[in-house]
Amino acid sequence: MAIAEDESRRNKRKTREPEGETKPAFSDAVNLVLASDEEEGGDDHQDADTDNEAEDFPEIDTGSDSGVGSEESEEEEEEEEEEDEGSDESEDEDEDENTDGSDSTVHIFPKARSTVSNITGRPKRVYPEIEPEYDSDSSTEDDPNRIGNVPLHWYDDLPHIGYDISGKRVLRPAKGDELDKFLETVEDPASWTSAFDKNMQMDKPLSAEELDIIRRLRLGENPDAAYDPYEPTVEWFTGKGKEEVMPLSAAPEPKRRWLPSKWEKQKIMKIVRAIRQGRIVGSKPKTADNTARFYAIWNEPTSAQPPPLPAPKRLPPTHAESYNPPEEYLPTEAERNEWQNTEPEDRERDFIPQKYSALRLVPGYDQFIKERFSRQLDLYLAPRVQRKKLNIDPNSLLPKLPSPSSLRPFPTYQSLKVVHSGSRVRCVSVSPDGSWVASGDEGGVVYLWEVIVGREVKRWTLDSKIGAIEWCPRTDVSYFVASVEDKLHFIVPPNLPSAILLPTQSALSPATLPPPTTSPIKWASTSRVEDGVILTIALPATSGLPKQITWHRRGDYLASVSSSESQVWIHQVSRRHSQAPFKKIKGAIQLVLFHPIKPHFFVATQRYVRLYDLMQQKLIKTLMPGIKWISSMDIHPSGDHIIVGGYDRKLCWFDLELSEKPYKVLRYHSRAIRSLHFHPTYPLFASSSDDGSIQVFHSRVYNDLMTDPLIVPLKILRGHNVSDGLGVLQAKWVNKQPWLVSAGADGKVVVWCSS
């Protein structure tokens, strides 16, 4: 029926084609019949006659692309749709009749209906559309447990088995024992139709479709119930008009297959020309030579691979390993018991020395296999490195320094010596003109003597031991300050010319005194004018002995550091005024210094050196020498460098423009450093120590900031004896001369001169 309708439609289409129009060449050239399963229409059954006949490919209407035939094509489409609807209704009625008379069997997959395609005219199956809401237990359902593909044994010890899509826990369902399962199978006959779901940890019922699939799989059948293994074969490549042209042919082989290539001919001729011209020379034939040939095997190029490292040699045997060792090598009973009670790893030897009368009586070594095995493990597992010994001259590692003889002058010998009877000389100071030296000892005696001849000019006996002495740097006046317990005494030397004596007296004891201040420090003119003590500064009662006195370069200000409270006082001579610049400072103050050019003030605590600006009253920087306890400090006359010494024998050189860390660290003394001092005019500085020696260094500082300072050790001066662990307590340079004055704990003051 469907085939007759298809032929009637084809005849109608042919009658509508214009008579003068020619048949398209595409249908004639391509003699194939195509079939598609996605087209609609058709029937499921065909007659036996039509199965073996080839149908014509539907002709292409070339006029359908033009606007003239558009209306006709639309009418044809409407007629085809109406015919398809009629055929579908008739087929549905036939299917209903067939279903009524069929057995009530269970179909797993939805039943398909057969139809004939409108385009190819071939039969095909059409399945109904899948409804989104269906009752099935497939993997497309929403699984409440969303833990993913993770091992479920992770949740064995937990009360839940996973998490749902909202992040809430999915609790573990209650499980019975084997008896409960058996009773459930007895009471519920449909219990065998359920399967255990590992993801939900519970039994789920199976649907009728799933049960039928399981039954078919057990029987070895196809799980699809609608599958027909005996359906008629579709002839795709046989029949009339469907013959396939085979890719192989019986044509004779072309000539180009066996003729030589002209490109290979050109390449060969190129090689032949090169041989004729001598550019390619063949190997010479070997001549029969019976003479022996020798090769130098050591001329082969060396391998880049390093040679294998040799095994380390074992130590040669000692006397203890002899079969007849001396008696002193044989252990006693106590030593034998001690060796046996010691752990094998802690034993000095792996064996006990034994004595035999003859070599043939020596038994086999019981630890031989174990020691060999241990050595093999050491050679196999322990890494070995070949150490290369460097033959370097130690003198080549030393820096190239100039010869000390080219850096003269510097002090080399002891010129004269002044002895303080029975007391340690703790302090010494040289006058600005370099003619006088003032030294003070722990007995409270101050000596004034000449540098050149060492003649004592005068002696003052003060109240207590002398802590510090310092000359005023002014050249128009001449006096020095000596510190005793809680006091500072201003002393004028005798025999001064009137041109210097009058300015000195007017500076220390003016006719008109400045108004008094509220400072706790009292300035008072003393009645000991004839002794030379003109002015006295009374410090607070708890100040103790001032251990340091330092002057400003102009000679109007001086600073003192008290030993008990580490209190710093700055005194102004012209105003007779004293003040404490620091209300509170971290650490115990050891030393202070004025900058020679700028209004800066250095304060050294036990571990740090702080630089303050007196004008702005703020901290500029903190130097970190790395010394445990700072003992001495001095600044270069240029003001850009400073040296710091400590009780741990270190001497640190700082470049103030470079860094807060030391530029150089020198360790030349064997004991604590006590004093440091730069020469005011010569490129020299000296350091004294408790080891009784004085180190003299050449220190040249260049104006070029890119050039490092030159530091060269010149001379070690030894002339003081160490007394009670103390050596040279202070060293000072003589102005305008390369001479050095040193004071020691042995009660001697020594002048060192240059040769």
Side-chain angles (χ1 to χ4, degrees):
M1 184 67 180
I3 296 174
E5 292 176 359
D6 190 14
E7 291 178 356
S8 63
R9 265 198 314 273
R10 192 179 298 112
N11 294 333
K12 289 180 182 180
R13 191 180 298 113
K14 288 181 180 179
T15 55
R16 290 174 185 157
E17 293 178 358
E19 296 177 356
E21 188 175 359
T22 60
K23 191 176 181 179
F26 179 77
S27 59
D28 297 338
V30 181
N31 193 12
L32 296 177
V33 179
L34 303 179
S36 175
D37 292 334
E38 299 178 358
E39 298 163 353
E40 298 180 356
D43 194 0
D44 207 22
H45 302 283
Q46 290 184 355
D47 298 335
D49 299 334
T50 59
D51 288 340
N52 299 325
E53 294 179 2
E55 296 179 1
D56 297 334
F57 192 87
E59 298 178 357
I60 298 177
D61 187 5
T62 57
S64 62
D65 294 338
S66 62
V68 178
S70 61
E71 296 178 359
E72 296 177 358
S73 61
E74 291 177 0
E75 293 176 359
E76 292 175 3
E77 291 176 359
E78 291 177 0
E79 292 176 0
E80 291 176 0
E81 290 177 0
E82 292 175 358
E83 293 173 358
D84 292 342
E85 291 176 359
S87 62
D88 294 342
E89 291 175 359
S90 61
E91 291 170 1
D92 293 340
E93 292 175 358
D94 297 339
E95 291 174 0
D96 294 339
E97 294 174 358
N98 295 332
T99 54
D100 294 338
S102 61
D103 298 334
S104 58
T105 58
V106 179
H107 295 279
I108 299 175
F109 295 100
K111 191 173 182 181
R113 59 186 179 85
S114 300
T115 180
V116 178
S117 175
N118 294 333
I119 298 177
T120 62
R122 305 292 296 173
K124 69 173 185 177
R125 290 192 187 94
V126 178
Y127 292 91
E129 295 184 358
I130 299 175
E131 298 179 2
E133 297 180 359
Y134 60 92
D135 187 11
S136 176
D137 190 18
S138 62
S139 59
T140 58
E141 292 183 352
D142 188 10
D143 191 0
N145 193 359
R146 295 300 184 95
I147 59 174
N149 188 15
V150 299
L152 295 177
H153 64 81
W154 291 357
Y155 295 91
D156 288 347
D157 300 333
L158 299 176
H160 58 283
I161 58 174
Y163 302 89
D164 59 4
I165 196 171
S166 302
K168 297 181 180 179
R169 296 180 177 179
V170 178
L171 298 179
R172 186 185 302 276
K175 252 199 226 178
D177 53 3
E178 296 297 330
L179 182 59
D180 294 335
K181 293 182 181 179
F182 175 73
L183 294 177
E184 185 179 357
T185 56
V186 173
E187 296 173 357
D188 187 7
S191 61
W192 66 274
T193 61
S194 62
F196 182 73
D197 187 0
K198 291 184 178 180
N199 197 18
M200 293 301 299
Q201 294 293 314
M202 60 185 300
D203 293 335
K204 277 192 167 185
L206 299 176
S207 60
E209 293 82 359
E210 293 170 342
L211 291 174
D212 189 66
I213 291 174
I214 294 173
R215 181 184 64 80
R216 289 178 174 276
L217 290 175
R218 291 186 63 184
L219 296 177
E221 299 177 358
N222 195 294
D224 187 1
Y227 173 73
D228 185 9
Y230 306 107
E231 62 182 2
T233 304
V234 179
E235 302 292 344
W236 297 103
F237 302 102
T238 57
K240 185 180 178 181
K242 296 182 181 180
E243 297 84 357
E244 183 178 0
V245 179
M246 301 301 292
L248 301 179
S249 64
E253 187 177 0
K255 191 177 181 180
R256 63 177 179 274
R257 298 278 181 88
W258 51 271
L259 281 180
S261 174
K262 62 178 181 179
W263 307 109
E264 293 180 358
K265 178 182 178 182
Q266 292 178 2
K267 189 173 182 180
I268 293 173
M269 290 305 299
K270 185 177 180 182
I271 297 173
V272 171
R273 293 191 196 97
I275 294 174
R276 290 174 179 175
Q277 295 174 3
R279 290 186 284 110
I280 297 178
V281 181
S283 59
K284 296 181 180 180
K286 295 182 180 180
T287 59
D289 190 4
N290 298 328
T291 59
R293 296 185 180 183
F294 303 97
Y295 301 93
I297 59 175
W298 50 85
N299 287 343
E300 295 180 359
T302 58
S303 176
Q305 194 72 13
L309 296 177
K313 296 181 180 179
R314 301 196 55 155
L315 296 177
T318 60
H319 293 292
E321 299 179 58
S322 174
Y323 74 94
N324 189 13
E327 295 294 336
E328 60 267 16
Y329 287 93
L330 296 176
T332 61
E333 190 65 27
E335 292 175 350
R336 187 183 298 271
N337 295 333
E338 182 183 357
W339 183 87
Q340 292 178 354
N341 296 330
T342 308
E343 294 293 333
E345 293 82 5
D346 301 335
R347 292 172 181 171
E348 185 179 358
R349 295 191 185 99
D350 295 335
F351 61 93
I352 297 179
Q354 297 180 8
K355 190 170 184 178
Y356 299 94
S357 59
L359 183 59
R360 64 177 180 274
L361 300 177
V362 178
Y365 184 43
D366 56 348
Q367 299 292 332
F368 177 77
I369 302 297
K370 183 177 181 182
E371 286 188 0
R372 284 291 177 177
F373 181 71
S374 300
R375 178 170 172 80
Q376 295 298 329
L377 286 181
D378 292 341
L379 296 177
Y380 172 64
L381 298 177
R384 287 176 287 157
V385 179
Q386 186 175 6
R387 300 186 180 274
K388 296 182 180 180
K389 185 178 180 181
L390 301 178
N391 296 323
I392 299 176
D393 186 11
N395 296 326
S396 63
L397 300 177
L398 298 176
K400 301 298 181 182
L401 298 177
S403 175
S405 59
S406 63
L407 302 176
R408 294 180 183 274
F410 56 86
T412 56
Y413 70 96
Q414 179 179 335
S415 175
L416 57 91
K417 178 172 59 176
V418 177
V419 180
H420 286 239
S421 57
S423 298
R424 298 173 182 168
V425 183
R426 281 197 168 271
C427 51
V428 67
S429 182
V430 184
S431 62
D433 57 358
S435 301
W436 309 93
V437 175
S439 58
D441 55 22
E442 292 184 351
V445 180
V446 177
Y447 285 78
L448 180 65
W449 43 279
E450 290 180 312
V451 174
I452 298 177
V453 297
R455 181 179 64 88
E456 181 182 338
V457 178
K458 193 171 183 180
R459 182 184 301 181
W460 292 271
T461 303
L462 302 180
D463 303 336
S464 62
K465 66 179 181 179
I466 309 300
I469 290 179
E470 198 69 32
W471 282 84
C472 179
R474 292 172 58 180
T475 58
D476 56 340
V477 298
S478 179
Y479 64 92
F480 61 90
V481 181
S483 66
V484 295
E485 192 75 22
D486 299 335
K487 291 181 182 179
L488 297 178
H489 295 293
F490 290 76
I491 302 175
V492 179
N495 305 325
L496 292 178
S498 59
I500 297 178
L501 179 60
L502 293 177
T504 302
Q505 292 178 351
S506 62
L508 297 179
S509 180
T512 305
L513 297 176
T517 60
T518 59
S519 175
I521 296 178
K522 304 301 180 183
W523 294 63
S525 299
T526 61
S527 58
R528 301 172 57 184
V529 179
E530 63 279 0
D531 293 340
V533 182
I534 297 179
L535 183 62
T536 301
I537 300 177
L539 301 176
T542 58
S543 297
L545 177 67
K547 57 184 177 181
Q548 187 206 8
I549 297 173
T550 180
W551 282 91
H552 190 263
R553 69 181 185 279
R554 295 184 179 178
D556 191 23
Y557 291 91
L558 75 153
S560 63
V561 181
S562 301
S563 59
S564 61
E565 297 181 354
S566 299
Q567 181 66 36
V568 179
W569 294 96
I570 296 179
H571 314 278
Q572 186 178 4
V573 178
S574 60
R575 292 180 54 198
R576 291 196 174 190
H577 175 67
S578 301
Q579 60 179 347
F582 306 106
K583 293 182 179 180
K584 186 178 180 181
I585 191 169
K586 295 180 180 179
I589 299 176
Q590 305 295 315
L591 302 165
V592 293
L593 281 177
F594 287 99
H595 196 280
I597 300 173
K598 301 177 183 179
H600 294 169
F601 194 61
F602 292 90
V603 178
T605 59
Q606 292 181 354
R607 300 187 62 182
Y608 303 100
V609 178
R610 294 181 174 89
L611 178 59
Y612 294 92
D613 191 337
L614 297 177
M615 297 293 292
Q616 300 180 3
Q617 298 183 2
K618 68 176 184 180
L619 177 66
I620 298 177
K621 66 169 57 177
T622 301
L623 305 179
M624 294 176 286
I627 298 175
K628 294 182 180 180
W629 195 309
I630 296 176
S631 62
S632 55
M633 177 178 61
D634 196 21
I635 188 169
H636 193 268
S638 64
D640 295 333
H641 303 269
I642 187 173
I643 52 177
V644 180
Y647 291 111
D648 55 355
R649 302 170 296 173
K650 292 182 182 179
L651 191 152
C652 300
W653 179 292
F654 284 92
D655 189 346
L656 299 180
E657 300 293 336
L658 187 63
S659 172
E660 298 175 353
K661 300 294 181 64
Y663 161 70
K664 289 280 187 180
V665 178
L666 308 178
R667 297 178 179 88
Y668 286 95
H669 290 284
S670 60
R671 300 186 68 179
I673 297 176
R674 288 287 178 176
S675 175
L676 297 173
H677 192 217
F678 275 108
H679 198 288
T681 54
Y682 287 90
L684 299 171
F685 78 90
S687 64
S688 62
S689 172
D690 282 341
D691 57 4
S693 65
I694 302 171
Q695 297 274 355
V696 180
F697 295 88
H698 176 86
S699 58
R700 183 174 297 278
V701 177
Y702 301 93
N703 294 329
D704 185 10
L705 298 179
M706 301 301 294
T707 306
D708 296 332
L710 178 63
I711 304 173
V712 182
L714 297 177
K715 187 70 176 177
I716 301 177
L717 304 176
R718 302 182 187 275
H720 291 273
N721 299 324
V722 178
S723 176
D724 297 335
L726 300 177
V728 184
L729 299 180
Q730 195 168 21
K732 292 286 185 179
W733 290 98
V734 177
N735 294 345
K736 303 178 183 178
Q737 295 292 339
W739 301 345
L740 186 66
V741 181
S742 61
D746 54 355
K748 294 185 295 184
V749 181
V750 181
V751 178
W752 307 86
C753 296
S754 60
S755 57

